[in-house]
Amino acid sequence: MEQIHKTLRDAKGMRWLVLILVSFTMLCAYYLTDAMAPLQERCQTNLSWSATDYGFFTSGYGWFNVFLLMLVFSGMILDKLGVRFTGVLSIIIMIAGAFVKYWAISGHVDGIFEMHLGSYQLLAPTAKSAVVAGLGFAIFGVGCEMFGITANKAVVRWFRGKEMALAIGLNTSTGRIGTALAMFTPVPLVNMTGHLSAPVILSLLLLCIGLLIFLLFGVLDKKLDKEEAAAGISSDDEFKFRDIIDIAKNKAFWYITALCVLFYSAVFPFIKFATNLIVQKFGISDTFAGYIPALLPFSALLLTPLFGSMYDRRGRGASIMVLGSLLLVFVHLLFSIPSLNNLYIAVGLVMVLGVAFSMVPSAMWPSVAKIIPENKLGTAYAMVFWVQNWGIMGVPLLIGNVLDKYCISRHVQKMVDGKMIEVTQYNYTIPMLIFACFGGVAILFAFLLKHEDAKKGYGLERPNINK
């Protein structure tokens, strides 16, 4: 009779404890990702940035991940050295990037160094502080994306064959709490301290706490390694360069990757500009305006586990992605209509966007684990995140340029921090149509993925829980 070996992952309470530890660290990382989003107007006034400068800074998140292929290397490190080493390394990188970002946002850059070549200023017309802040964001982005793929692989390892989609959904939605905090707290923090860099200081504290929490996860994960070794269960943490070729030959992988970059390009850059959009379109203060985009991650927090559990028990992963993409287009098209300027409509649309933001990730990330074998999963997630970072990097820069070139409606005098200054007003119709176009193409790839699954039998429409 075959002996059944029990490990920590078979203990329900233990694997859920692991999820809590990993997810809390994800929350700490996500705070800095969007901490400056409610402060776009204040960056433009206090640091003399334009919308293009703000878009340039925001695009910095993906610079190193995209151009230096850091995400691909991150996947190799993850598959070769495992989740514990990669997780700690990623948090240390995030802390380093946060320090650079703090230095730039706190106003220590302009005037400290000048880069000139004769009479030509190398960093003109973009403000030097935006460049250095973007550099810090780029370093942080390497660590944040590295931790994202690490967290996904850790959750898959502990929950495969069990509540995998629910666990990934909870991990993702817990990260959204960090995004929600980044919508709520920055403006009050700045008002209370008088320093634009206060949210970055808070993020540094959160990252240090996250590091300690992840070290505790490492203790449990190492114990699982020992139990699996004693039971004769081989480790899958072994990378081979041909894995990249094998993954690249998989058509379904490219469909889900294209869906990912298009979907997130219509969500994450929207969050970066959403507070300013709501301030200008609906005529409310930036303090209150930040609360409305915060409904998006809160909706995701509540609904992502619901859709993940639905996928675990009933399947229909590809269909969930199609429906979520359709909702995305619906929201952005309605936001683009100038006459729809009732604040209650904005609240309703953001909540519907939260539903879409719950549906697609709750089905997408577990589906990657069905398409790609576990020993190649770190590299596969890294390749998806790498392509996604092209959108995260390029779209904010595109939107910032479009706003400055085509969408300036007027200049008004406004009281900011006790000073009367000139503020640029924008019409966000064109940017919202751009976001809607991304969602429209995402629908196409969601249907292609569903068709490929029907042909190859990956099981995207089947439940995840082994009965």
Side-chain angles (χ1 to χ4, degrees):
M1 183 176 179
E2 185 180 352
Q3 184 179 359
I4 299 175
H5 296 280
K6 295 289 185 180
T7 63
L8 278 179
R9 68 185 297 275
D10 295 307
K12 189 171 185 178
M14 195 58 67
R15 64 175 180 268
W16 287 106
L17 173 61
V18 163
L19 179 66
I20 291 170
L21 298 176
V22 173
S23 298
F24 180 82
T25 308
M26 181 75 81
L27 180 158
C28 297
Y30 270 39
Y31 180 81
L32 184 58
T33 305
D34 293 301
M36 301 307 295
L39 303 172
Q40 176 188 346
E41 191 171 282
R42 298 192 185 214
C43 287
Q44 292 182 223
T45 55
N46 294 10
L47 300 175
S48 300
W49 291 3
S50 64
T52 301
D53 292 331
Y54 176 78
F56 181 83
F57 149 68
T58 301
S59 75
Y61 183 91
W63 293 349
F64 294 157
N65 286 325
V66 168
F67 294 122
L68 299 184
L69 301 178
M70 292 306 298
L71 255 172
V72 178
F73 289 122
S74 297
M76 296 177 185
I77 293 169
L78 176 58
D79 282 337
K80 185 69 176 177
L81 300 177
V83 296
R84 297 188 298 276
F85 175 86
T86 312
V88 172
L89 176 62
S90 65
I91 298 169
I92 292 172
I93 293 172
M94 283 191 278
I95 291 172
F99 269 115
V100 175
K101 189 173 179 179
Y102 162 75
W103 184 60
I105 299 296
S106 60
H108 297 309
V109 175
D110 291 313
I112 289 183
F113 65 90
E114 295 289 335
M115 292 186 179
H116 288 84
L117 183 61
S119 60
Y120 177 72
Q121 188 170 344
L122 293 179
L123 296 181
T126 298
K128 290 186 287 296
S129 57
V131 174
V132 179
L135 176 64
F137 207 20
I139 296 170
F140 170 82
V142 171
C144 192
E145 294 294 286
M146 183 186 291
F147 189 81
I149 63 174
T150 302
N152 274 353
K153 185 166 184 180
V155 173
V156 168
R157 182 190 184 199
W158 281 79
F159 283 86
R160 184 183 285 277
K162 302 183 186 299
E163 312 92 338
M164 184 173 67
L166 174 60
I168 291 179
L170 285 168
N171 178 59
T172 301
S173 61
T174 304
R176 305 298 178 224
I177 297 176
T179 302
L181 290 173
M183 296 290 107
F184 275 111
T185 60
V187 173
L189 274 174
V190 172
N191 290 339
M192 182 173 61
T193 64
H195 296 289
L196 191 60
S197 58
V200 186
I201 295 174
L202 176 58
S203 71
L204 279 165
L205 176 61
L206 288 172
L207 288 170
C208 290
I209 296 172
L211 177 58
L212 295 176
I213 294 296
F214 191 79
L215 289 173
L216 178 56
F217 157 78
V219 173
L220 298 175
D221 194 67
K222 188 173 183 179
K223 186 176 181 181
L224 177 61
D225 269 353
K226 291 179 179 178
E227 289 180 345
E228 290 185 339
I233 302 172
S234 61
S235 173
D236 285 321
D237 290 329
E238 187 62 41
F239 169 77
K240 303 178 186 65
F241 279 100
R242 69 170 178 267
D243 290 349
I244 296 178
I245 298 174
D246 292 340
I247 294 168
K249 290 179 180 178
N250 190 316
K251 192 181 294 185
F253 169 79
W254 289 112
Y255 290 153
I256 204 166
T257 299
L259 169 63
C260 175
V261 65
L262 289 162
F263 181 84
Y264 280 125
S265 292
V267 176
F268 286 142
F270 168 76
I271 292 174
K272 297 291 190 295
F273 290 91
T275 299
N276 189 252
L277 158 69
I278 291 167
V279 167
Q280 301 204 5
K281 184 170 182 176
F282 301 99
I284 60 178
S285 69
D286 57 358
T287 302
F288 181 71
Y291 298 160
I292 297 176
L295 295 173
L296 194 158
F298 270 124
S299 298
L301 170 65
L302 298 172
L303 296 175
T304 302
L306 174 64
F307 290 118
S309 181
M310 185 186 303
Y311 186 16
D312 280 332
R313 300 179 184 282
R314 299 186 180 182
R316 305 297 179 188
S319 300
I320 291 172
M321 287 183 262
V322 170
L323 181 56
S325 300
L326 284 167
L327 289 177
L328 182 73
V329 175
F330 169 78
V331 169
H332 287 316
L333 283 177
L334 291 185
F335 258 127
S336 72
I337 301 173
S339 59
L340 291 179
N341 56 4
N342 184 288
L343 188 59
Y344 293 107
I345 292 177
V347 172
L349 289 178
V350 169
M351 294 183 72
V352 174
L353 184 59
V355 175
F357 198 30
S358 304
M359 297 181 76
V360 174
S362 69
M364 181 170 60
W365 297 121
S367 294
V368 175
K370 287 187 171 184
I371 293 169
I372 303 296
E374 188 171 348
N375 65 318
K376 303 174 185 176
L377 195 55
T379 302
Y381 276 135
M383 291 170 68
V384 175
F385 276 48
W386 179 71
V387 176
Q388 175 189 314
N389 268 250
W390 277 97
I392 292 174
M393 178 193 69
V395 174
L397 191 57
L398 169 67
I399 298 300
N401 274 280
V402 167
L403 285 171
D404 276 337
K405 289 184 179 179
Y406 306 108
C407 303
I408 295 177
S409 57
R410 57 179 177 153
H411 299 277
V412 298
Q413 295 295 317
K414 186 175 179 180
M415 185 71 70
V416 177
D417 296 333
K419 297 180 291 185
M420 186 65 70
I421 60 172
E422 185 177 80
V423 175
T424 303
Q425 295 280 318
Y426 299 102
N427 182 328
Y428 274 85
T429 297
I430 296 177
M432 298 312 300
L433 289 174
I434 293 173
F435 289 139
C437 288
F438 288 142
V441 184
I443 295 171
L444 170 63
F445 281 101
F447 275 113
L448 289 172
L449 177 64
K450 187 173 182 177
H451 175 74
E452 186 70 9
D453 174 57
K455 188 165 63 172
K456 295 292 180 65
Y458 292 113
L460 304 188
E461 296 289 271
R462 295 197 297 269
N464 296 318
I465 296 178
N466 296 331
K467 296 182 179 178

